Amino acid sequence: MCHKARMFRYCLVLLVLVLAVAGATAATNMPTADATKEALAKATDYLTSIATHGGYLWRYSADLKDRRGEVKATATQIWVQPPGTPSVGIAFLEAYAATKDERHLAAAHAAAQALVRGQLESGGWTYLVEFDPKTRRNWAYRADSRNTTRASNITTFDDDNTQSALRFLMAYLSVATNQPARSLKPLRAALDYGLAKMVEAQYPNGAWPQRYNGRPHDPGNHPIRSARVPANWPRTWPKADYSGYYTLNDQTQRDCIRTMIAAWKHLGDRKYLDAARKGGDFLILAQLPEPQAGWAQQYNFDMEPAWARAFEPPAVCAAESAGVMRMLMDLFVATGDAKFLEPLPGFVAWLKRSEIRPGQWARFYELRTNKPIYGDRDGKVHYTLAEISRERQSGYSWEGGYGIARVIKDYEAMRAQ
């Protein structure tokens, strides 16, 4: 049995694929459709037997005593951050689509209900949901209606937290049309509220922050301007609060935009498409000037690349920039507006002259010099991987392919068409 929740979805999806093949082939070594359906049913039955109020963590030991999300968790907690509850819920929906077995839809419904109970008054979710009655008081959950000024009310868009929860609610509501309207009403209310607050969280220039406290932004504090590289930038970590910065790190902006596109497609409301386009406008503004026509992980309110954690200096970031490129291409497909492709030739040219090895890029490139740079918990800039601690060498991605070769290939095919 798979005890890692990140594997649950893969196991379920694999079974769905096997089911499809089993129904289309007479090969004697293939499981039958009935056998595959039975395996799917057993998988869902097992998952629901270990669920906490319908929700899930990332991994469990065989005896269920060791429970973890990104960090160690308790028996009264579930995880939102993928591959947590929204990811498992999507797997249930895929199993239901393949089999029409109502147990999968019921499991997805329970996962959706668990997320509703974890929605914050600020509109979104943080990394986990707590169900212990006393500990729940530490969070301003909408379902409890007893917010205090000391309760945490911070929505996070980092690591696809809030976005994945909203996309799962959309997906479930689009499938569960045979369910009683009364049971769907709280889910739709949570979806509408979450989407409204997500639109509210968007800055005037189209960016989203890493985290949102539920209070609208003052446009006077956020002038709309293009990105710039300062003549001087701090070479040591300033320990500033970066949670409100315009954030691309961990593909935050991309996940926000694709959630708005999904909302437009599911609900048909133009305001979500407008929010997605506005997010794309920010990506255009955020492209750094030549000769480093890529993107940074995050920007301060002067639209300058900024520090985040002690090992994340201001820089041109190949990994997040590749995600931006993919998102701009998707926006072109969704809207037909060619302006979303205009930043890409300069970026592709920068990528091609910035390879550190064939098909390999550094994660960070120093502003102005374009030298690969590396970070550590000492809050200083380093110029070789060997300079940083062993813990950071293996605990962060400093060099890689980052899907860049594939996105360049797709872009060139798109341009040719």
Side-chain angles (χ1 to χ4, degrees):
M1 185 63 67
C2 298
H3 293 296
K4 290 186 177 181
R6 70 174 65 231
M7 293 301 297
F8 289 162
R9 185 182 181 200
Y10 302 153
C11 291
L12 285 172
V13 171
L14 180 60
L15 285 169
V16 170
L17 292 173
V18 171
L19 177 61
V21 174
T25 181
T28 57
N29 61 341
M30 285 297 299
T32 65
D34 287 343
T36 309
K37 288 179 182 178
E38 184 179 351
L40 273 171
K42 286 181 178 179
T44 293
D45 287 346
Y46 173 74
L47 287 174
T48 55
S49 75
I50 66 170
T52 299
H53 294 272
Y56 302 90
L57 297 168
W58 285 11
R59 57 178 69 90
Y60 304 78
S61 63
D63 60 7
L64 304 181
K65 291 181 179 180
D66 185 26
R67 297 165 174 259
R68 297 179 183 270
E70 188 172 24
V71 297
K72 192 173 179 63
T74 72
T76 61
Q77 294 174 343
I78 65 171
W79 225 254
V80 181
Q81 177 189 12
T85 301
S87 302
V88 179
I90 290 291
F92 289 142
L93 292 179
E94 291 170 345
Y96 174 70
T99 66
K100 301 306 178 186
D101 185 337
E102 290 290 331
R103 80 183 72 202
H104 306 304
L105 190 61
H109 183 84
Q113 287 180 311
L115 290 172
V116 170
R117 292 191 62 189
Q119 187 177 33
L120 297 166
E121 290 183 0
S122 56
W125 287 260
T126 187
Y127 298 97
L128 60 86
V129 178
E130 176 63 72
F131 287 97
D132 176 73
K134 290 185 178 180
T135 312
R136 276 180 70 84
R137 297 171 187 169
N138 294 327
W139 284 273
Y141 293 128
R142 288 185 70 227
D144 293 352
S145 300
R146 55 167 181 261
N147 180 28
T148 69
T149 56
R150 290 179 295 176
S152 178
N153 189 31
I154 305 299
T155 287
T156 179
F157 298 114
D158 180 46
D159 287 336
D160 204 19
N161 270 270
T162 290
Q163 305 94 308
S164 67
L166 291 172
R167 292 197 306 274
F168 168 57
L169 289 177
M170 281 183 244
Y172 174 76
L173 289 168
S174 68
V175 169
T177 54
N178 61 343
Q179 300 301 299
R182 181 176 168 182
S183 70
L184 300 179
K185 187 175 180 180
L187 309 185
R188 180 57 191 264
L191 174 62
D192 289 343
Y193 184 79
L195 288 171
K197 295 296 283 186
M198 188 172 171
V199 171
E200 180 185 276
Q202 191 175 27
Y203 284 110
N205 64 1
W208 274 274
Q210 186 185 68
R211 292 177 172 83
Y212 179 58
N213 61 14
R215 295 190 291 272
H217 306 298
D218 181 353
N221 295 331
H222 303 282
I224 299 174
R225 56 172 61 130
S226 297
R228 62 188 185 186
V229 176
N232 296 295
W233 53 276
R235 300 307 174 111
T236 57
W237 183 42
K239 300 182 181 180
D241 179 7
Y242 57 88
S243 62
Y245 283 173
Y246 310 140
T247 301
L248 278 66
N249 194 12
D250 292 325
Q251 308 298 347
T252 294
Q253 188 77 5
R254 180 200 67 184
D255 293 334
C256 287
I257 293 172
R258 69 190 184 107
T259 300
M260 290 292 102
I261 292 175
W264 168 56
K265 291 180 176 179
H266 278 279
L267 304 175
D269 193 324
R270 179 81 186 191
K271 67 184 177 187
Y272 301 124
L273 177 61
D274 292 342
R277 292 179 63 97
K278 189 176 176 182
D281 291 340
F282 166 75
L283 295 178
I284 294 173
L285 288 171
Q287 186 175 30
L288 296 169
E290 292 284 3
Q292 291 180 292
W295 286 264
Q297 280 192 334
Q298 56 277 317
Y299 299 77
N300 61 26
F301 300 143
D302 290 322
M303 280 294 278
E304 298 169 344
W307 281 87
R309 291 173 289 187
F311 49 87
E312 293 173 322
V316 189
C317 184
E320 270 70 15
S321 293
V324 170
M325 181 174 177
R326 175 69 66 185
M327 188 69 256
L328 288 171
M329 292 164 61
D330 289 346
L331 276 166
F332 168 69
V333 172
T335 67
D337 193 335
K339 74 176 180 179
F340 294 119
L341 299 182
E342 291 173 4
L344 300 186
F347 173 55
V348 171
W350 175 80
L351 284 172
K352 290 182 176 180
R353 63 177 180 264
S354 298
E355 283 181 296
I356 56 174
R357 293 180 296 279
Q360 295 285 298
W361 286 263
R363 187 181 190 118
F364 295 134
Y365 291 83
E366 188 175 42
L367 299 173
R368 297 189 181 276
T369 71
N370 211 48
K371 295 178 181 177
I373 56 176
Y374 307 85
D376 208 335
R377 296 192 186 277
D378 61 2
K380 298 178 181 178
V381 175
H382 299 271
Y383 290 92
T384 67
L385 193 58
E387 292 176 40
I388 67 175
S389 65
R390 287 179 177 269
E391 182 269 334
R392 279 297 83 191
Q393 286 184 30
S394 60
Y396 198 73
S397 173
W398 297 108
E399 299 174 354
Y402 302 126
I404 290 171
R406 179 57 186 266
V407 76
I408 290 176
K409 182 178 179 180
D410 290 348
Y411 165 67
E412 290 175 343
M414 176 180 287
R415 187 176 62 178
Q417 293 174 8

